[in-house]
Amino acid sequence: GALGGLGLALGLWRRQAALAAAREDEEEKELRQRFMAPPVSGLRELRRRRRELRSRMELLIMETQAEVCRALAALDPGASFAVDSWERKEGGGGISCVLQDGEVFEKAGVNVSVVSGLLSEEAARQMRSRGKSLKAKDGKLPFCAMGVSSVIHPKNPHVPTMHFNYRYFEIEEADGTKQWWFGGGTDLTPTYLNEEDAIHFHKTLKEACDKHDLKLYPKYKKWCDDYFYIKHRGERRGIGGIFFDDMDSPSKEEVFQFVKSCAKAVVPCYIPIVKKHCHDSFTPEEKLWQQLRRGRYVEFNLVYDRGTKFGLLTPGSRIESILMSLPLTARWEYMHNPPESSKEAEILEVLRNPKDWVH
């Protein structure tokens, strides 16, 4: 009897193990279909550590990448994303998805990176200058950084450029304690001002923030206006959105849920604007103005952008992915000034004096 019972229990255990393995295979297949490429950390590793925040963040950035790429590809059916998985010998890697020369998008890139290793001296200096007290062990600071980052440059001057980035950072100090924080944001850079679009964009981001705390949107909207400021031109890069960095309270879980809400707001805040304008007619003069505005975009990214600077200072970083944010074409004209009261002068006024779009 005892042996028979043991046989039954063993049979049951085998069946359960087979079912669990089949479930795992099914889940793996589903994840592969959901993402643009296999995750940097590998599906099995992510599943094994599925409760850890690092794994949940990696899954979120992978999902965001796929969601945005699919939404963009649906609007530009003739074009397709080149999907490029890369490895970094110092630790980690990433997945770059870039669509180039489509009907709707001149260049659209959505990157995921999951990197780890030792923080370079220059990168540590940059962080300390923002008030981080980092205690290195023998001059070494192990770090882990992951994020999803995207810049979309449409062909039509009536469709705005859009950028978003959501990231997580962890540093291990000399005594083994870990410092962690989240950063990110979503912002819009139109060539011509359309108030209705600006209101839609800001309202969608405000709704995402308001789910968590009514104080967040006004605070991060102002931070965005201040951050994307081209000092040498005295103007913002665009009409803003939200931006935050070094966010490490109230708790890891609450900040993660906030970042998730922001990431989920990317498609609804932008895609309706693209649909609305991608078939608008435009003149050669309007195209020229778009090229000049793109020049400003390049200036900000190369001179001031924190992410670009960090990437360029990180050993073994992939330069192609970091500079993916630059447009395919741009223009710099000597002493170009638009006529007063023109549509071009109207956008400049808003870039010099940011507006409140939601009240």
Side-chain angles (χ1 to χ4, degrees), residues 219-245:
K219 181 182 173 183
Y220 294 156
K221 190 259 183 208
K222 183 184 182 318
W223 198 341
C224 188
D225 288 333
D226 293 344
Y227 177 75
F228 291 106
Y229 182 57
I230 309 171
K231 290 190 195 73
H232 59 270
R233 298 284 188 183
E235 61 192 45
R236 273 91 201 146
R237 189 178 77 175
I239 59 156
I242 55 170
F243 177 86
F244 57 92
D245 207 352

Side-chain angles (χ1 to χ4, degrees), residues 106 233 284-299 327-336:
E106 188 176 292
R233 298 284 188 183
E285 290 74 27
E286 287 170 333
K287 188 68 190 169
L288 172 69
W289 178 242
Q290 181 195 44
Q291 297 288 295
L292 291 165
R293 295 313 308 161
R294 291 230 189 112
R296 298 285 204 268
Y297 206 92
V298 172
E299 286 176 29
L328 210 52
T329 61
R331 187 176 172 99
W332 286 267
E333 272 188 24
Y334 183 68
M335 300 294 279
H336 183 280

